[in-house]
Each structure stands twice: as C-alpha cells, then as structure tokens.
C-alpha cells in the first residue's frame, strides 16, 4: 500500500555553536545526510569564537526531528526563533498579489477603498507574502533578539 504523504515542516531555529564545533560542517550535514532544505538568515561568531546562527529549515517531519537531534548531539544549542511578519505601509503599492495566497486572509482587499489591508492578529507568520511582494513591503521579524 502507498505510504501516506509525509508531513512537511518549516521552522526558523536559532543555533549556538560552542567553539569546538564552530568550524565543523554540521549545517551542510542537515542537507547532505538528512535531506533538509536550509537557508541561513543570519550568522556571526562572537569574540569567544562561539557561533550563532539563525536558520530556516524545512523538510519531512521525521528528517526534521532527526536533524535537530543530530545538532544537539554535536553540542549545538537549538532554540525556536519566534517569527512575526510586519508590513511597511509606506512601501505597499496595494497590488493585491499577496492576497491571493495568504492562507489566513490576514491580507485582504477592501473593495470600497481598493486598498489591501493587513490584520496582523490573523497572520500565522507563514512567510508566503514575503516571497511574492514586488516591493518587499512584507518583512520577517525574529523576536528573540537574533535579527
Ligand atoms: S505571513 Fe502568511 S498569514 Fe501572514 S500575512 Fe503573509 S501570507 Fe498571510
Ligand atoms: S504584495 Fe506587497 S505591495 Fe502588493 S499588496 Fe501585498 S504587501 Fe502590498
């Protein structure tokens, strides 16, 4: 019988590397060994040679958990990074592209004013709008001081 379609996860995580692991290719292993997609949002090395990295990770749930367990086994601290979306109202040109794909209808067209309205209470921070906005009015903010 065909296996049920695997559940996919997408999360932003904040990693802290002790000095002894800051030069190991552990993040590459997430893709090479565990098949996860990653995008480095921010990385820095402190004066004590500890590494800090904010990483967006996506992939099948099982591989995701295995990949995070691998990082922890390497002595790397893994913490969720709370993500929030904001809109630069001065930048938005009300083109409406984001409204077509917003899953929670946090972005919607006001048919009276023809302006696109953003309800941040309804936003699930999925990030879809940030990928299509032609003027980059939608921005991702990470809330634990890492960006
Ligand atoms: S982040 Fe997702 S839920 Fe929030 S406004 Fe953008 S598309 Fe809608
Ligand atoms: S895609 Fe960008 S410019 Fe267009 S309505 Fe949405 S936020 Fe505004």
């Amino acid at each position: 019988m065909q296996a049920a379609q695997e559940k996919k996860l997408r999360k932003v995580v904040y990693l802290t590397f002790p000095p002894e692991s800051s030069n190991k290719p552990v993040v590459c292993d997430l893709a090479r060994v565990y098949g996860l997609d990653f995008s480095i949002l921010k990385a820095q090395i402190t004066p004590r040679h500890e590494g800090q990295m904010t990483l967006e990770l996506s992939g099948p749930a099982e591989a995701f958990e295995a990949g995070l367990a691998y990082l922890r086994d390497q002595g790397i601290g893994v913490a969720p990074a709370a993500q929030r979306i904001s809109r630069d109202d001065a930048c938005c040109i009300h083109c409406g592209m984001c409204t077509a794909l917003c899953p929670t209808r946090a972005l919607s067209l006001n048919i009276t004013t023809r302006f696109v309205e953003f309800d941040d209470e309804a936003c699930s921070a999925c990030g879809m709008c940030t990928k299509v906005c032609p003027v980059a009015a939608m921005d991702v903010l990470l809330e634990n001081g890492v960006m």
Side-chain angles (χ1 to χ4, degrees):
M1 197 203 289
Q2 184 92 21
Q5 203 175 10
E6 273 187 292
K7 186 179 165 198
K8 290 221 168 191
L9 294 179
R10 174 187 165 276
K11 287 185 187 171
V12 179
V13 292
Y14 176 55
L15 307 179
T16 45
F17 298 76
E20 60 274 18
S21 37
S22 54
N23 58 356
K24 292 186 192 163
V26 288
V27 172
C28 295
D29 285 347
L30 294 176
R32 202 170 50 83
V33 180
Y34 298 94
L36 296 169
D37 292 324
F38 70 85
S39 166
I40 297 172
L41 303 178
K42 186 175 181 184
Q44 64 181 29
I45 305 246
T46 68
R48 291 178 175 179
H49 301 287
E50 293 164 339
Q52 298 170 347
M53 184 181 288
T54 306
L55 198 67
E56 182 183 85
L57 270 180
S58 59
E62 220 169 278
F64 208 96
E65 293 312 321
L68 293 188
Y70 164 71
L71 292 179
R72 291 189 181 102
D73 284 349
Q74 304 301 311
I76 294 163
V78 181
Q83 181 172 317
R84 186 166 73 79
I85 300 288
S86 75
R87 181 171 76 171
D88 181 346
D89 290 335
C91 194
C92 175
I93 56 173
H94 301 276
C95 68
M97 285 183 68
C98 56
T99 61
L101 46 76
C102 177
T104 65
R105 303 181 72 84
L107 286 156
S108 61
L109 179 68
N110 181 320
I111 53 170
T112 307
T113 62
R114 309 301 299 172
F115 284 162
V116 170
E117 294 176 348
F118 175 47
D119 176 1
D120 60 357
E121 296 283 310
C123 172
S124 66
C126 70
M128 298 282 281
C129 53
T130 64
K131 297 185 186 349
V132 298
C133 179
V135 294
M138 304 304 294
D139 203 12
V140 180
L141 306 172
L142 296 175
E143 292 190 320
N144 40 1
V146 293
M147 226 179 164

